[in-house]
Amino acid sequence: MASKLTKNRKAVLELLDRDAVHTVEEAIAIAKKTSFVKFDATVEASFFLNVDPRHADQQIRGAMVLPNGTGRSQKVVVITQGAKEQEAKDAGADFVGGKELLEDIQKGWFDFDIIVATPDMMGELGKLGRVLGPKGLMPNPRTGTVTMDVAKAVEEIKKGKVEYRVDKDGNINVIIGKVSFDDKALVENFKAIQDTLLKARPSAVKGAYVKNQVISTTMGPGVKVEISK
């Protein structure tokens, strides 16, 4: 049985022309206006790319620090040993340790958002691949979460680093802030991730690279953003 539209959502949808395409500035203003939840909703950018992730050279993945952060506070676990433990603590990591933390994770502890690890610990972490992989928590050098510079990794995450990864259908979804952000900050964040994805265009892609791009808020409708030629 289909769920009934709430009064607020129905009013929101009446404000939106789903077929209209807007500048990023217009799209952000509309997305914020049509956010009807009672909390500070997350704003997300979604990109549909003309790529085939079955090919290694088209598996677009990486991480970047947004100019204005995400408005989210992320709990960071650093898996390391020796002197790097103190380095991670000084940088603001929420949890730091080695095998003892891995044992906690194995037992079902997941009170964190992201894992940073030094290369020497990846052998142990790899044993938890079946647990961490499906949750998207396995550290990866391409996103800067496998590194000897744990201080830099932790600091960037705390500043608003986001990861992006194309799914099997060619979609990438990235948080760009909160409804409470001013429009300019959200525009800057959107353009930053957009520029990063454009630079990551695989040479094998022919024709249009970005097929569609949309801005939305938590539980809110998607607003189409024009694609620059």
Side-chain angles (χ1 to χ4, degrees):
M1 182 177 178
S3 59
K4 295 177 66 175
L5 288 175
T6 64
K7 183 178 179 180
N8 283 343
R9 186 166 179 79
K10 186 175 181 181
V12 162
L13 293 176
E14 288 176 351
L15 291 172
L16 179 68
D17 179 352
R18 286 184 171 275
D19 295 321
V21 180
H22 307 272
T23 65
V24 61
E25 291 82 1
E26 292 170 344
I28 283 171
I30 293 170
K32 290 174 69 172
K33 186 177 180 180
T34 54
S35 176
F36 62 91
V37 296
K38 295 181 180 180
F39 53 87
D40 190 9
T42 294
V43 182
E44 184 174 82
S46 300
F47 302 86
F48 177 37
L49 305 180
N50 177 27
V51 296
D52 185 350
R54 292 175 298 178
H55 300 290
D57 65 326
Q58 297 181 49
Q59 293 173 2
I60 298 172
R61 182 178 185 180
M64 63 175 294
V65 178
L66 294 176
N68 303 294
T70 63
R72 295 176 61 195
S73 177
Q74 296 200 86
K75 290 184 180 179
V76 184
V77 172
V78 177
I79 305 297
T80 188
Q81 57 189 346
K84 289 294 176 180
E85 291 193 18
Q86 190 58 50
E87 181 182 324
K89 291 175 182 176
D90 292 343
D94 299 277
F95 307 99
V96 181
K99 291 183 179 180
E100 70 280 5
L101 284 184
L102 296 180
E103 290 174 0
D104 289 340
I105 293 170
Q106 181 73 61
K107 294 175 183 176
W109 173 70
F110 290 101
D111 187 25
F112 54 86
D113 301 296
I114 192 166
I115 299 176
V116 173
T118 46
D120 58 312
M121 297 300 293
M122 286 306 294
E124 294 296 327
L125 262 167
K127 298 174 183 177
L128 299 181
R130 290 185 179 180
V131 176
L132 298 175
K135 294 179 179 292
L137 292 171
M138 181 62 76
N140 189 294
R142 291 174 65 181
T143 59
T145 48
V146 178
T147 177
M148 287 301 292
D149 195 347
V150 294
K152 179 182 178 182
V154 172
E155 288 166 0
E156 287 184 342
I157 292 167
K158 292 294 185 179
K159 286 179 181 177
K161 187 176 185 177
V162 293
E163 294 186 13
Y164 54 88
R165 183 177 187 178
V166 67
D167 66 18
K168 62 183 179 63
D169 298 315
N171 298 296
I172 289 181
N173 303 303
V174 185
I175 292 171
I176 60 169
K178 295 283 189 178
V179 167
S180 59
F181 281 26
D182 65 45
D183 289 14
K184 182 180 178 182
L186 289 170
V187 169
E188 289 176 350
N189 280 353
F190 177 88
K191 289 184 175 180
I193 184 63
Q194 181 186 54
D195 289 346
T196 296
L197 295 180
L198 290 176
K199 291 174 182 176
R201 174 177 178 146
S203 58
V205 172
K206 306 301 180 184
Y209 172 47
V210 180
K211 290 186 173 182
N212 194 20
Q213 48 191 22
V214 173
I215 290 173
S216 61
T217 61
T218 306
M219 297 178 67
V223 184
K224 293 182 180 180
V225 181
E226 65 182 12
I227 300 171
S228 301
K229 294 183 180 179

